Amino acid sequence: MKNNFKKIINSKLFKNGMWLTILQLVNTVIPVVTIPYVTRILGSNEYGIFSIALNWILYLQVLVEYGFGLSGSRKVALLKENEHAQLNQLFNNIISARILLLIVSFVALNIICIISAFSLQMYISILILFIMIIGTTFQLTWLFQGKQDMKFITIINVTSRIVSVILIFLLVKKPNDIYLYCALYSITLFLSSVISMIVARKKYNLKFSFARFDAIIKEFKDGIYLFASSAMTKIFSGFGVTMLGIYTTASITGIFSAIYKIPYVLTMFFSPVSQAIYPFISKEFSKGDEEGKKCVRKIGIPIFIIFGIFSIFIIVFNKIIINLLFGMEYSNYSIIVVPLVIQFLLAIINNFIGIQTLVASGKQKNYSKAFAIGCIAIVASNVLLGKLYGIYGVSIAAPIGELVLTISLIFQLKMLERSEKND
């Protein structure tokens, strides 16, 4: 028994799981620590400018990532230890593809800024935050994940984040420090990417040279479906901020962005739970659909109840919580947290119907169809309700889009069940 326990503890799978958990924990805790401070120091207007700028950068980040995080790590994992030339070629292909996307994203960014007639303050904030896109280009999480060496990327990311947070508390002291905050926020990813490239050179002897165009095109083709999924996920999470940036003031956008962090943090806590149970549920589905569905119900109901209790607490004490976290300026709009928390609860249901049931049972195509309908709903409801009711409309649009996704997923599930009965 002791030997088996030691074997598990010393296994690469367990160690990588622990490093991933540490990384996720740090990524969850840091926003909780910094956001209450930053929202008070910058004020709703400057924080709104930062939020709008960051939202556009995150769209471009999805473009530059392009699904290589998953497609690349899978290819690395399939390579044997002695296949160094193939690993170096893959390294060159992905970095080259991302450099091309970096150039495209910079051009797109300037076109967006011209069309949207952004203020100088907004444009400078976006340019500073663009450092994140440069960091994303050379980010090597896919390499370390494929190599099952998550220790390196975790230590690099955690160290960079902690340094960034310390500098934010030490240096950001007034609303005019928005540019400094943008720089400190974006430098984390840039630093971790630079260090990652150095580690990759030293540990795996990887040297970069620009890849052939046909090899780059192949990488684009291999990552297209994962890119589409990532793009739709970003639309789901960030479209409300986009609409508020167009329809309302920076101050209102800042208030929404700050309050939205509450359900976002809940999501960050749920995410590792979802990742942890997915392989187990997938195994149950391999035994048969009924066994898989029973497992989903058995695990899903208690998890939903636990997060439901936290959600009810937030809904009941919304004004007090938001006043404590962000200040009086934000608590005047505390009611918008109610639909945002309802969206989070619906997202948990959707995770168990979509990821843990449809995807775990090999029905990815049905999940993608439902997700596309949900994206259309979130875009349409945000455009309409955001224009009519501003911050309140965008807040209500969030659970509407998630509800449409829920209905679409249930429809896909029932359709599959009918099809199986007919067969």
Side-chain angles (χ1 to χ4, degrees), residues 79-96:
L79 288 173
K80 293 175 184 175
E81 287 296 325
N82 61 346
E83 294 178 323
H84 177 265
Q86 290 90 326
L87 179 63
N88 210 131
Q89 188 58 57
L90 179 63
F91 175 78
N92 291 338
N93 293 348
I94 291 177
I95 298 296
S96 299

Side-chain angles (χ1 to χ4, degrees), residues 160-175:
S160 301
R161 275 189 169 275
I162 290 170
V163 170
S164 173
V165 168
I166 292 169
L167 290 175
I168 286 168
F169 282 117
L170 288 176
L171 302 176
V172 179
K173 297 295 182 185
K174 55 187 184 298

Side-chain angles (χ1 to χ4, degrees), residues 24 28 261-277 299-316 321 337-338 340-352 356:
Q24 186 68 36
T28 303
K261 289 293 186 294
I262 293 173
Y264 172 76
V265 168
L266 289 175
T267 303
M268 291 290 280
F269 277 110
F270 175 70
S271 182
V273 175
S274 173
Q275 289 172 9
I277 64 176
I299 295 173
I301 291 170
I303 288 173
F304 183 80
I305 290 169
I306 291 166
F307 280 99
I309 291 166
F310 282 108
S311 299
I312 290 167
F313 180 82
I314 291 166
I315 288 169
V316 172
I321 291 168
V337 82
V338 176
L340 294 176
V341 168
I342 292 170
Q343 180 205 15
F344 164 72
L345 291 174
L346 286 168
I348 294 179
I349 294 169
N350 291 340
N351 180 276
F352 281 102
Q356 310 298 343

Side-chain angles (χ1 to χ4, degrees), residues 403-421:
L403 180 62
V404 170
L405 175 58
T406 308
I407 295 165
S408 300
L409 288 168
I410 293 169
F411 175 78
Q412 291 293 329
L413 201 59
K414 296 295 180 186
M415 191 175 69
L416 284 167
E417 287 172 356
R418 283 196 300 269
S419 176
E420 286 166 8
K421 281 180 183 176

Side-chain angles (χ1 to χ4, degrees), residues 41-326:
I41 294 297
L42 294 183
S44 61
N45 187 68
E46 266 66 27
Y47 186 70
I49 289 168
F50 165 78
S51 299
I52 295 167
L54 179 64
N55 192 54
W56 283 110
I57 289 296
L58 292 177
Y59 281 124
L60 297 176
Q61 189 176 39
V62 170
L63 173 65
V64 174
E65 281 177 345
Y66 198 82
F68 294 137
L70 291 174
S71 66
S73 64
R74 183 178 179 276
K75 288 180 180 181
V76 171
L78 293 174
L79 288 173
K80 293 175 184 175
E81 287 296 325
N82 61 346
E83 294 178 323
H84 177 265
Q86 290 90 326
L87 179 63
N88 210 131
Q89 188 58 57
L90 179 63
F91 175 78
N92 291 338
N93 293 348
I94 291 177
I95 298 296
S96 299
R98 283 185 166 176
I99 288 171
L100 288 179
L101 291 172
L102 173 69
I103 296 165
V104 170
S105 67
F106 186 73
V107 174
L109 174 67
N110 282 279
I111 292 170
I112 289 165
C113 290
I114 291 166
I115 292 171
S116 303
F118 286 144
S119 66
L120 182 62
Q121 188 181 30
M122 179 76 74
Y123 182 62
I124 294 171
S125 298
I126 288 174
L127 283 182
I128 296 170
L129 287 169
F130 193 79
I131 295 168
M132 288 175 62
I133 308 300
I134 299 170
T136 301
T137 305
F138 300 98
Q139 191 181 43
L140 299 179
T141 304
W142 57 272
L143 173 67
F144 293 109
Q145 200 164 358
K147 280 287 189 180
Q148 295 189 58
D149 279 336
M150 284 305 296
K151 176 176 74 173
F152 295 103
I153 200 71
T154 300
I155 291 171
I156 292 164
N157 283 339
V158 169
T159 305
S160 301
R161 275 189 169 275
I162 290 170
V163 170
S164 173
V165 168
I166 292 169
L167 290 175
I168 286 168
F169 282 117
L170 288 176
L171 302 176
V172 179
K173 297 295 182 185
K174 55 187 184 298
N176 289 342
D177 290 336
I178 181 173
Y179 299 147
L180 178 59
Y181 178 61
C182 288
L184 293 173
Y185 189 94
S186 55
I187 204 71
T188 302
L189 188 54
F190 181 78
L191 279 176
S192 66
S193 298
V194 170
I195 298 167
S196 297
M197 291 290 285
I198 295 168
V199 171
R201 176 72 183 266
K202 298 285 185 186
K203 185 172 176 60
Y204 306 119
N205 194 29
L206 297 177
K207 298 172 185 177
F208 176 71
S209 61
F210 209 83
R212 296 193 326 270
F213 190 68
D214 60 328
I216 295 171
I217 294 299
K218 187 180 183 305
E219 291 301 329
F220 282 140
K221 285 179 179 176
D222 291 345
I224 184 68
Y225 293 110
L226 292 167
F227 166 65
S229 175
S230 299
M232 286 192 288
T233 302
K234 173 56 194 162
I235 290 170
F236 239 93
S237 62
F239 202 72
V241 173
T242 306
M243 287 299 99
L244 286 178
I246 294 169
Y247 292 140
T248 65
T249 63
S251 179
I252 292 294
T253 308
I255 289 167
F256 176 84
S257 298
I259 294 173
Y260 185 77
K261 289 293 186 294
I262 293 173
Y264 172 76
V265 168
L266 289 175
T267 303
M268 291 290 280
F269 277 110
F270 175 70
S271 182
V273 175
S274 173
Q275 289 172 9
I277 64 176
Y278 176 73
F280 176 73
I281 291 174
S282 297
K283 278 188 178 180
E284 291 299 306
F285 268 108
S286 69
K287 298 173 186 175
D289 280 359
E290 280 307 310
E291 285 82 356
K293 287 173 185 176
K294 281 179 187 174
C295 183
V296 170
R297 286 193 292 271
K298 188 178 178 182
I299 295 173
I301 291 170
I303 288 173
F304 183 80
I305 290 169
I306 291 166
F307 280 99
I309 291 166
F310 282 108
S311 299
I312 290 167
F313 180 82
I314 291 166
I315 288 169
V316 172
F317 299 103
N318 65 83
K319 199 170 186 72
I320 296 167
I321 291 168
I322 288 165
N323 188 34
L324 283 171
L325 287 175
F326 310 121

